[in-house]
Amino acid sequence: EVQLVESGGGLVQPGGSLRLSCAASGFTFISNWMHWVRQAPGKGLVWVSRIKSDGRTTVYADSVKGRFTISRDNAYNTLYLQMNSLRAEDTAVYYCARETTGGWLDPWGQGTLVTVSS
Amino acid sequence: QSVLTQPPSASGTPGQRVTISCSGSRSNIGSNAVNWYQQLPGTAPKLLIYNNNQRPSGVPDRLSGSKSGTSASLAISGLQSEDEADYYCAAWDDSLSGHVFGSGTEVTVL
């Protein structure tokens, strides 16, 4: 069964840092681009970042560019999101998702909640 | 503010047909496939329709997608209580070099 499990969320003060992880299983991790998508409380989905299968190409939404870094460890089938200089508006559930060869996202992980507050 | 525009809500009685629209631009829907995701209350999004009108295995044929120009739509026929959820359209945007999502539509079964 294809599965993605996020971890690493929690409460952090404004200006702080947090690293999210997404453990993948049930598929050949090195074959797929991977994504992070977030959802603020009561709001819609917002795409955050994307990384190529070999880790050499990354893309970011303007709202996180320069503050967030996406990476992956293909030896451990794990996707990461390093979040620095966190702001209150970064408060959200963060989902990781696999990009299929056709470009759609499937499946999604269960999400991990990040709360930025003093 | 979302790049793709959806109505905030839609509703119908059991058995009725509900349609959700998704409006974009040439750089996203006009150039790339549209995908739809369903998010049941308290759960993660799930792929519902891909490549404009294809259903993953397990998705009933009561749900269908279509695309024309810079707009797309999702239709749910034979509405059931289990269809109560939020629905999001999405597409790749060539100008932004990223995925864009619609604002989401909450479907209520009356």
Side-chain angles (χ1 to χ4, degrees), chain A residues 6-52:
Chain A
E6 301 95 335
S7 61
L11 175 63
V12 60
Q13 292 189 338
S17 298
L18 210 56
R19 188 176 85 155
L20 306 183
S21 300
C22 169
S25 60
F27 67 100
T28 306
F29 183 67
I30 199 171
S31 297
N32 296 87
W33 287 73
M34 295 294 295
H35 295 246
W36 287 100
V37 178
R38 68 185 181 183
Q39 185 172 35
K43 303 295 184 182
L45 302 172
V46 176
W47 177 79
V48 172
S49 183
R50 174 185 191 231
I51 186 168
K52 194 178 177 182

Side-chain angles (χ1 to χ4, degrees), chain A residues 35 39 50 59 103-105 109, chain B residues 37 39 44 50 88 92 97 99:
Chain A
H35 295 246
Q39 185 172 35
R50 174 185 191 231
V59 188
W104 45 91
L105 303 182
Chain B
Y37 300 91
Q39 187 175 33
Y50 65 93
Y88 294 90
W92 180 259
S97 293
H99 280 271

Side-chain angles (χ1 to χ4, degrees), chain A:
Chain A
E1 178 195 3
V2 177
Q3 194 170 16
L4 300 171
V5 179
E6 301 95 335
S7 61
L11 175 63
V12 60
Q13 292 189 338
S17 298
L18 210 56
R19 188 176 85 155
L20 306 183
S21 300
C22 169
S25 60
F27 67 100
T28 306
F29 183 67
I30 199 171
S31 297
N32 296 87
W33 287 73
M34 295 294 295
H35 295 246
W36 287 100
V37 178
R38 68 185 181 183
Q39 185 172 35
K43 303 295 184 182
L45 302 172
V46 176
W47 177 79
V48 172
S49 183
R50 174 185 191 231
I51 186 168
K52 194 178 177 182
S53 50
D54 62 4
R56 294 181 180 180
T57 300
T58 58
V59 188
Y60 299 92
D62 286 345
S63 58
V64 306
K65 204 172 292 183
R67 300 187 300 123
F68 289 13
T69 302
I70 189 172
S71 63
R72 63 193 294 163
D73 188 334
N74 288 338
Y76 289 94
N77 293 345
T78 304
L79 174 72
Y80 301 101
L81 185 68
Q82 177 66 43
M83 304 185 295
N84 298 330
S85 302
L86 282 162
R87 307 166 180 167
E89 54 264 37
D90 295 318
T91 294
V93 174
Y94 285 74
Y95 297 100
C96 64
R98 180 185 68 168
E99 179 181 317
T100 67
T101 52
W104 45 91
L105 303 182
D106 181 55
W108 297 54
Q110 87 287 351
T112 187
L113 175 63
V114 173
T115 303
V116 184
S117 175
S118 54

